[in-house]
Amino acid sequence: QVQLVESGGGSVQAGGSLRLSCAASGSIFSINTMGWYRQSPGKQRELVADIPRSGRTNYGDSVKGRFTISRDNAKNTVYLQMNNLKPEDTAAYYCKIRDGWGVEYWGEGTQVTVSS
């Protein structure tokens, strides 16, 4: 059984910063891609950023230049540093990993609220 534990969400004013963490534990076979998605009410879940084991990062257009994704393979942990936050970044943020078999696992989500 695989568990993803997210932390670091909260409320911040526009222009502020937050750092999200997601730690994976359990019976995991060789994590490949780790990533963050977000979803706000009435909208589809969208990719924020992901990072394969190779380390080549991929970002959604709306967060490029403001967010940075990184991972610590020894700790099975992925991070999302979010700077210059905007009210439109308000959403529930979800961690996702894909293991070596192609199986995907999702976290339960952490809320990020940015006030103007």
Side-chain angles (χ1 to χ4, degrees), residues 5 10 12 26 37 40 52 57 69 79 94 96 100 105 110:
V5 179
V12 65
Y37 291 72
S40 51
T57 55
I69 190 170
Y79 305 96
Y94 298 89
K96 187 184 85 170
Y105 301 90
T110 184

mmCIF file of all heavy atoms in Angstrom, residues 5 10 12 26 37 40 52 57 69 79 94 96 100 105 110:
data_model
loop_
_atom_site.group_PDB
_atom_site.id
_atom_site.type_symbol
_atom_site.label_atom_id
_atom_site.label_comp_id
_atom_site.label_asym_id
_atom_site.label_seq_id
_atom_site.Cartn_x
_atom_site.Cartn_y
_atom_site.Cartn_z
ATOM 1 N N VAL A 5 1.773 11.803 1.596
ATOM 2 C CA VAL A 5 1.418 12.769 2.635
ATOM 3 C C VAL A 5 1.896 14.144 2.201
ATOM 4 O O VAL A 5 3.102 14.385 2.070
ATOM 5 C CB VAL A 5 2.038 12.387 3.989
ATOM 6 C CG1 VAL A 5 1.671 13.435 5.041
ATOM 7 C CG2 VAL A 5 1.553 11.005 4.419
ATOM 8 N N GLY A 10 -1.683 26.497 2.860
ATOM 9 C CA GLY A 10 -2.123 27.511 3.801
ATOM 10 C C GLY A 10 -2.626 28.738 3.086
ATOM 11 O O GLY A 10 -2.911 28.707 1.884
ATOM 12 N N VAL A 12 -2.041 32.869 2.211
ATOM 13 C CA VAL A 12 -0.973 33.851 2.045
ATOM 14 C C VAL A 12 -1.505 35.007 1.211
ATOM 15 O O VAL A 12 -2.471 34.845 0.442
ATOM 16 C CB VAL A 12 0.250 33.197 1.365
ATOM 17 C CG1 VAL A 12 -0.079 32.770 -0.054
ATOM 18 C CG2 VAL A 12 1.465 34.097 1.410
ATOM 19 N N GLY A 26 5.541 3.335 1.768
ATOM 20 C CA GLY A 26 4.851 2.081 1.498
ATOM 21 C C GLY A 26 5.580 1.253 0.461
ATOM 22 O O GLY A 26 6.752 1.460 0.178
ATOM 23 N N TYR A 37 -0.511 18.741 -9.198
ATOM 24 C CA TYR A 37 -1.667 19.200 -9.952
ATOM 25 C C TYR A 37 -2.495 20.078 -9.032
ATOM 26 O O TYR A 37 -2.329 20.045 -7.816
ATOM 27 C CB TYR A 37 -2.503 18.012 -10.428
ATOM 28 C CG TYR A 37 -1.828 17.185 -11.498
ATOM 29 C CD1 TYR A 37 -0.751 16.371 -11.196
ATOM 30 C CD2 TYR A 37 -2.272 17.228 -12.820
ATOM 31 C CE1 TYR A 37 -0.118 15.624 -12.176
ATOM 32 C CE2 TYR A 37 -1.657 16.474 -13.806
ATOM 33 C CZ TYR A 37 -0.578 15.685 -13.472
ATOM 34 O OH TYR A 37 0.049 14.951 -14.457
ATOM 35 N N SER A 40 -9.424 23.984 -8.782
ATOM 36 C CA SER A 40 -10.256 24.955 -8.080
ATOM 37 C C SER A 40 -11.710 24.660 -8.429
ATOM 38 O O SER A 40 -11.987 23.999 -9.428
ATOM 39 C CB SER A 40 -9.861 26.383 -8.464
ATOM 40 O OG SER A 40 -9.825 26.546 -9.849
ATOM 41 N N PRO A 52 10.430 13.975 -13.851
ATOM 42 C CA PRO A 52 10.755 12.564 -13.940
ATOM 43 C C PRO A 52 12.046 12.272 -13.192
ATOM 44 O O PRO A 52 12.701 13.191 -12.665
ATOM 45 C CB PRO A 52 10.940 12.350 -15.449
ATOM 46 C CG PRO A 52 11.409 13.684 -15.940
ATOM 47 C CD PRO A 52 10.745 14.705 -15.084
ATOM 48 N N THR A 57 12.419 19.053 -15.736
ATOM 49 C CA THR A 57 11.158 19.561 -15.214
ATOM 50 C C THR A 57 10.209 20.010 -16.313
ATOM 51 O O THR A 57 10.619 20.364 -17.419
ATOM 52 C CB THR A 57 11.409 20.724 -14.258
ATOM 53 O OG1 THR A 57 12.186 21.718 -14.943
ATOM 54 C CG2 THR A 57 12.198 20.266 -13.036
ATOM 55 N N ILE A 69 9.789 23.035 -9.054
ATOM 56 C CA ILE A 69 9.596 21.684 -8.538
ATOM 57 C C ILE A 69 10.956 21.029 -8.367
ATOM 58 O O ILE A 69 11.878 21.254 -9.171
ATOM 59 C CB ILE A 69 8.690 20.845 -9.474
ATOM 60 C CG1 ILE A 69 8.302 19.523 -8.812
ATOM 61 C CG2 ILE A 69 9.343 20.628 -10.835
ATOM 62 C CD1 ILE A 69 7.226 18.759 -9.567
ATOM 63 N N TYR A 79 8.909 18.398 -3.898
ATOM 64 C CA TYR A 79 8.649 19.723 -3.339
ATOM 65 C C TYR A 79 8.142 20.647 -4.436
ATOM 66 O O TYR A 79 8.451 20.477 -5.614
ATOM 67 C CB TYR A 79 9.932 20.322 -2.751
ATOM 68 C CG TYR A 79 10.610 19.441 -1.737
ATOM 69 C CD1 TYR A 79 11.656 18.603 -2.114
ATOM 70 C CD2 TYR A 79 10.203 19.440 -0.399
ATOM 71 C CE1 TYR A 79 12.282 17.788 -1.190
ATOM 72 C CE2 TYR A 79 10.830 18.624 0.527
ATOM 73 C CZ TYR A 79 11.866 17.807 0.134
ATOM 74 O OH TYR A 79 12.486 16.995 1.057
ATOM 75 N N TYR A 94 -2.630 18.793 -5.434
ATOM 76 C CA TYR A 94 -2.525 17.343 -5.280
ATOM 77 C C TYR A 94 -1.172 16.850 -5.793
ATOM 78 O O TYR A 94 -0.726 17.242 -6.873
ATOM 79 C CB TYR A 94 -3.627 16.633 -6.070
ATOM 80 C CG TYR A 94 -5.015 16.961 -5.615
ATOM 81 C CD1 TYR A 94 -5.713 18.032 -6.153
ATOM 82 C CD2 TYR A 94 -5.649 16.187 -4.635
ATOM 83 C CE1 TYR A 94 -6.997 18.345 -5.735
ATOM 84 C CE2 TYR A 94 -6.934 16.491 -4.218
ATOM 85 C CZ TYR A 94 -7.596 17.572 -4.765
ATOM 86 O OH TYR A 94 -8.870 17.874 -4.344
ATOM 87 N N LYS A 96 1.052 13.692 -7.191
ATOM 88 C CA LYS A 96 0.872 12.451 -7.909
ATOM 89 C C LYS A 96 2.226 11.835 -8.211
ATOM 90 O O LYS A 96 3.174 12.548 -8.572
ATOM 91 C CB LYS A 96 0.133 12.676 -9.236
ATOM 92 C CG LYS A 96 -0.231 11.380 -9.952
ATOM 93 C CD LYS A 96 -0.861 11.640 -11.304
ATOM 94 C CE LYS A 96 0.172 11.826 -12.383
ATOM 95 N NZ LYS A 96 -0.433 11.835 -13.736
ATOM 96 N N GLY A 100 7.350 2.475 -11.344
ATOM 97 C CA GLY A 100 8.003 1.815 -12.459
ATOM 98 C C GLY A 100 7.095 0.914 -13.279
ATOM 99 O O GLY A 100 7.417 0.577 -14.422
ATOM 100 N N TYR A 105 -0.443 7.135 -8.245
ATOM 101 C CA TYR A 105 -0.989 7.318 -6.912
ATOM 102 C C TYR A 105 -1.171 8.816 -6.665
ATOM 103 O O TYR A 105 -0.331 9.615 -7.068
ATOM 104 C CB TYR A 105 -0.043 6.753 -5.842
ATOM 105 C CG TYR A 105 0.246 5.287 -6.007
ATOM 106 C CD1 TYR A 105 1.327 4.854 -6.771
ATOM 107 C CD2 TYR A 105 -0.558 4.317 -5.403
ATOM 108 C CE1 TYR A 105 1.603 3.508 -6.932
ATOM 109 C CE2 TYR A 105 -0.290 2.974 -5.556
ATOM 110 C CZ TYR A 105 0.791 2.571 -6.324
ATOM 111 O OH TYR A 105 1.052 1.234 -6.482
ATOM 112 N N THR A 110 -3.872 19.437 -0.602
ATOM 113 C CA THR A 110 -3.652 20.467 0.407
ATOM 114 C C THR A 110 -4.103 21.797 -0.176
ATOM 115 O O THR A 110 -3.831 22.101 -1.344
ATOM 116 C CB THR A 110 -2.167 20.509 0.842
ATOM 117 O OG1 THR A 110 -1.997 21.457 1.895
ATOM 118 C CG2 THR A 110 -1.234 20.874 -0.303
#
